[in-house]
Each structure stands twice: as structure tokens, then as C-alpha cells.
């Protein structure tokens, strides 16, 4: 068979991204059934919870932010200074603040840390920009700051303060419009042109993270530009495969069987993409789809875990990088929230047992040397 014949055969078999039918074949959603796991004892969960909170409070910077650039000697991430580190800090800080804001009704001891962090965010976000023409890590900061700002808005019933926060959310919409790819959606590198309007290598999981943040803002009554939403959704659809895995980026969508584009390589981002589309009312993302990828997240967790803490990006099987790990579990938890309460228990038990096992001695969770605290802040291209 000629080379062209092989390519046509692959496309006809439905392996190319963007070929998803309205009614996907059930065989694409088959996943190993989970072994029963008991929900850990409440006392153990509370202890882990308290240790995690204590770590955040102890690790906060004096200026109210989280994250430092103190250990970069062996950094294996392209991170032009100082802009890349400003972006990482904005994203990390926003995630930490969002978590503490959700805890505050139960933990008044977190209030001083929240107050310091809110002030830092008010001052830092208007200054956040791309590091240079090629590195757009600031997209993560804009996206996750929206989630933090939504929770800040709900914290106090103060009209003046709320209007200030609403304006800051809208400014993040504006920045995300500036740094949106010409193709729609978002990535974090523009090595091709470095133009004012980026010709970014759009990545499925980055667009998904932004769409989740946009949906939270819309639920608050602060709606993002419809054009940006639709273009990002279209980008995700172009990268979607019949089994609801997703290409790493649009630049790889015509290489659907490359390792990172296979289900094992998509194991840390399918949850983000699926929950983003579900939030924006995609009828194809049914409970069955969400559960299939939760089943895979836990039953095939070793494919992600074997890449956890490896210092070189994409060096593991399926080109998995360490920072895929907690990113996938965070959005796995968001998928879990979309299920009916009666169907969450099995997945909650697996998630709780896994997080208990992986908590570090200092109370933190981490998956990559560059990504402190608990979250992944932007993978480089494979």
C-alpha cells in the first residue's frame, strides 16, 4: 500500500481527530472496571486536610503570593525571566487563593492569608503580560485568576468591592482575547511568528482550563466574549477523537496515533476537555463519557504516576510529563461534580485514597520540580 493509501485508511477508520460521530460507538468508551475501594476514615481525611492547609499557610510569601523562583538551577522548562516566573506565580497564587476561599467558612484561621493574597492579586494582575514574543505562560495566570476572583466576589456583599473585582475579571477577558491564538483557543508558545496576535500552538488542555474559568465567571453574571468561547469550543472539537481523548495540541491533531495523542497520553487532559465541553452544554459529553474517563484515570493511574516527579518533560511512556498528574486529578474532580450525587461515591473513594497515599511529609502534594504547591502550570510542547 502506498503512503497515501495508508493515510487514507487511517482517516477512514476514524482515527483522525475531529471525526467523532454524534452517537459514539460504545466500544470507544469501554474502560476497566474499578476495583472496590473503601472511603478512608473521616479522621484520616481531616488530618490530611489540616496538614495541607498548614503547608499553604506556612509557605505563603511575605507579600501574600505563593511560588518562588529560588530553585531554577536544573530547570528543564523554557522559562524566560522574569516574565515566565511572574506568570507561574500568578497562576499558582490564584489556585491557592481559590482553595482557601472555599475553606474560609470552616477555617477562620485562613482569613489573614486570604486578605494578604487578595491585596497582592489586586496589584499584580494588571501587570501580568507575556514573558516575550515566544512564551505566553501568562495565559495560565489570567485563567486561574478568574476562578480566584469569582470566589473573592462572593466573599463579601460589598457593592464597591464587587464592582472592582468584576472589572478585574473583565480585564482578564481582555488579556485572554489579546493572547488568543489566531486559530481560536489558547496555547503558551509562539515560536513560529511571535506576532502581536499570537500564532500560538493551541493546546487542548489550555483552552479547556480557560473555558472552565469562563463558565465560572458566567455563572456569576459576568459573561466572557461569546466569540472567544465559540472559537475555543471549536478548537477542542477539532482535537477530539472518537474515544473522547484529545490531541495535545492542534499542531499534532493530524498525528492521532503519536504516543502523546493516544488514550494513555491523554489521560491527564481528557478530564479537563470533557468537563469544559460539558459546562458549555455539549450534548455529546454525557455522564457515560465522564465516568469512562474517571474509570480510566483511576484504573490506569500508573501511566500518569510513572511520570510523576521525573525532571525531564515528556520522558515517560506515552510522552507523559510529571506535571500532567495533578492537573488531570483536579479536572477529574470537576468531572465528578458534574455527576448525580448518587453516582459519585465510588470515584470519591478512589480520589480520597489516592490523595492520602501521595501526600508528602510536609503536607503538600507535588508532581514536578518546577511546580510547587499542588498544581501544574503549563507543559512545554512534546
Amino acid at each position: 500500500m502506498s503512503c497515501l493509501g495508508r493515510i487514507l485508511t487511517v482517516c477512514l477508520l476514524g482515527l483522525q481527530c475531529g471525526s467523532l460521530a454524534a452517537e459514539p460507538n460504545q466500544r470507544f468508551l469501554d474502560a476497566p472496571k474499578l476495583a472496590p475501594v473503601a472511603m478512608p476514615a473521616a479522621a484520616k481525611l481531616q488530618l490530611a486536610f489540616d496538614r495541607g492547609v498548614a503547608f499553604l499557610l506556612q509557605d505563603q510569601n511575605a507579600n501574600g503570593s505563593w511560588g518562588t523562583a529560588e530553585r531554577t538551577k536544573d530547570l528543564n522548562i523554557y522559562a524566560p525571566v522574569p516574565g515566565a516566573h511572574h506568570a507561574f506565580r500568578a497562576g499558582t497564587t490564584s489556585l491557592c487563593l481559590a482553595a482557601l476561599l472555599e475553606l474560609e467558612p470552616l477555617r477562620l484561621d485562613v482569613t489573614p492569608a486570604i486578605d494578604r493574597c487578595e491585596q497582592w492579586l489586586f496589584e499584580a494582575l494588571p501587570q501580568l503580560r507575556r514573558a516575550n514574543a515566544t512564551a505566553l505562560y501568562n495565559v495560565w495566570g489570567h485563567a486561574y485568576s478568574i476562578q480566584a476572583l469569582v470566589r473573592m466576589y462572593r466573599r463579601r456583599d460589598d457593592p464597591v468591592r464587587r464592582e472592582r473585582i468584576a472589572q478585574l475579571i473583565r480585564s482578564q477577558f481582555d488579556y485572554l482575547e489579546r493572547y488568543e491564538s489566531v486559530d481560536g483557543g489558547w496555547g503558551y508558545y509562539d515560536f513560529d511568528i511571535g506576532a502581536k496576535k499570537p500564532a500560538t500552538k493551541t493546546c487542548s488542555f489550555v483552552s479547556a482550563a480557560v473555558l472552565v474559568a469562563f463558565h465560572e465567571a458566567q455563572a456569576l453574571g459576568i459573561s466572557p466574549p461569546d466569540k472567544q468561547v465559540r472559537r475555543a469550543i471549536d478548537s477542542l472539537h477539532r482535537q477530539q477523537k472518537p474515544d473522547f481523548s484529545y490531541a495535545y495540541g492542534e499542531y499534532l491533531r493530524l498525528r492521532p496515533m503519536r504516543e502523546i495523542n493516544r488514550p494513555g497520553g491523554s489521560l491527564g487532559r481528557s478530564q479537563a476537555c470533557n468537563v469544559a465541553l460539558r459546562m458549555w452544554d455539549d450534548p455529546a459529553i454525557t455522564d457515560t463519557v465522564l465516568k469512562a474517563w474517571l474509570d480510566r484515570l483511576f484504573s490506569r493511574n500508573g501511566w500518569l504516576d510513572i511520570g510523576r516527579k521525573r525532571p525531564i518533560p515528556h520522558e515517560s511512556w506515552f510522552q507523559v510529563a510529571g506535571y500532567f498528574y495533578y492537573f488531570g486529578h483536579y479536572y477529574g474532580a470537576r468531572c465528578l461534580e458534574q455527576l448525580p450525587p448518587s453516582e459519585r461515591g465510588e470515584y470519591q473513594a478512589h480520589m480520597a485514597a489516592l490523595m492520602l497515599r501521595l501526600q508528602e511529609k510536609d503536607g503538600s502534594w507535588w508532581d514536578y520540580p518546577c511546580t510547587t504547591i499542588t498544581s501544574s502550570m503549563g507543559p512545554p510542547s512534546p
Side-chain angles (χ1 to χ4, degrees):
M1 183 184 294
S2 68
C3 180
L4 178 60
R6 292 190 183 94
I7 294 173
L8 291 174
T9 300
V10 169
C11 294
L12 290 172
L13 287 173
L15 295 175
Q16 185 172 351
C17 298
S19 61
L20 182 64
E23 294 294 336
N25 191 315
Q26 180 60 40
R27 69 187 177 85
F28 289 131
L29 298 178
D30 287 343
K33 296 304 178 185
L34 298 179
V37 169
M39 176 62 77
K44 289 186 177 181
L45 290 175
Q46 187 63 52
L47 177 60
F49 182 85
D50 292 342
R51 292 176 61 223
V53 172
F55 173 82
L56 285 181
L57 297 181
Q58 182 274 329
D59 198 62
Q60 186 178 27
N61 296 323
N63 65 3
S65 69
W66 276 271
T68 70
E70 295 174 353
R71 299 180 182 179
T72 59
K73 181 178 179 181
D74 298 317
L75 189 64
N76 288 294
I77 295 287
Y78 171 63
V81 295
H85 297 292
H86 292 164
F88 295 156
R89 181 174 293 137
T92 298
T93 298
S94 295
L95 284 167
C96 294
L97 177 59
L100 292 181
L101 285 166
E102 292 188 6
L103 301 179
E104 191 178 25
L106 303 174
R107 296 282 302 257
L108 295 180
D109 59 322
V110 304
T111 296
I114 290 173
D115 290 338
R116 290 195 301 273
C117 185
E118 286 189 349
Q119 185 58 40
W120 182 88
L121 211 62
F122 278 130
E123 296 172 0
L125 284 182
Q127 311 303 320
L128 183 61
R129 301 289 192 278
R130 65 206 280 182
N132 59 21
T134 60
L136 295 95
Y137 294 127
N138 57 304
V139 167
W140 293 108
H142 299 311
Y144 286 128
S145 68
I146 291 173
Q147 294 185 255
L149 291 166
V150 166
R151 289 154 179 79
M152 285 170 57
Y153 185 98
R154 293 182 174 131
R155 186 185 183 207
R156 293 175 183 162
D157 188 9
D158 179 339
V160 175
R161 183 175 184 274
R162 283 186 167 183
E163 180 55 28
R164 182 184 182 188
I165 293 170
Q167 289 298 330
L168 199 51
I169 291 173
R170 294 187 185 100
S171 73
Q172 302 314 296
F173 294 163
D174 178 62
Y175 290 135
L176 285 165
E177 183 174 18
R178 296 186 204 181
Y179 300 116
E180 177 195 26
S181 171
V182 292
D183 296 326
W186 292 269
Y188 43 86
Y189 291 143
D190 182 9
F191 291 125
D192 294 330
I193 298 175
K196 180 178 180 181
K197 182 67 172 178
T200 317
K201 296 181 183 300
T202 308
C203 293
S204 57
F205 52 94
V206 184
S207 298
V210 175
L211 284 172
V212 169
F214 276 0
H215 189 269
E216 290 193 4
Q218 177 165 280
L220 195 66
I222 305 173
S223 297
D226 182 67
K227 182 179 179 180
Q228 285 179 263
V229 172
R230 297 313 317 169
R231 282 161 56 89
I233 290 172
D234 289 345
S235 176
L236 286 187
H237 283 153
R238 290 194 295 270
Q239 297 172 77
Q240 189 181 66
K241 295 174 67 176
D243 59 359
F244 294 91
S245 61
Y246 295 79
Y248 188 90
E250 290 222 43
Y251 63 105
L252 293 179
R253 70 187 180 92
L254 297 182
R255 302 177 67 181
M257 299 308 288
R258 181 169 172 168
E259 294 93 332
I260 202 166
N261 287 340
R262 296 185 186 186
S266 185
L267 194 56
R269 64 179 175 273
S270 287
Q271 295 77 17
C273 297
N274 284 328
V275 77
L277 292 175
R278 170 68 168 252
M279 288 177 168
W280 288 99
D281 300 321
D282 186 333
I285 311 300
T286 62
D287 288 354
T288 300
V289 171
L290 296 179
K291 289 190 288 187
W293 277 95
L294 285 170
D295 286 338
R296 289 173 178 172
L297 178 64
F298 296 118
S299 64
R300 298 174 177 170
N301 203 265
W303 290 119
L304 278 180
D305 189 69
I306 203 167
R308 188 171 55 91
K309 298 187 178 182
R310 285 178 180 252
I312 300 175
H314 307 292
E315 68 173 335
S316 190
W317 284 269
F318 293 111
Q319 295 180 278
V320 165
Y323 38 73
F324 289 13
Y325 195 81
Y326 288 117
F327 183 90
H329 289 79
Y330 170 71
Y331 288 101
R334 300 303 299 264
C335 289
L336 197 156
E337 293 173 343
Q338 295 288 316
L339 298 177
S342 61
E343 299 182 23
R344 298 176 187 173
E346 179 182 26
Y347 302 115
Q348 288 173 326
H350 276 273
M351 186 72 79
L354 189 61
M355 292 301 111
L356 276 182
R357 179 173 63 82
L358 295 178
Q359 189 173 27
E360 306 291 333
K361 292 181 179 179
D362 62 5
S364 71
W365 288 265
W366 67 276
D367 53 18
Y368 185 75
C370 182
T371 51
T372 57
I373 315 301
T374 60
S375 185
S376 305
M377 295 309 306
S381 302

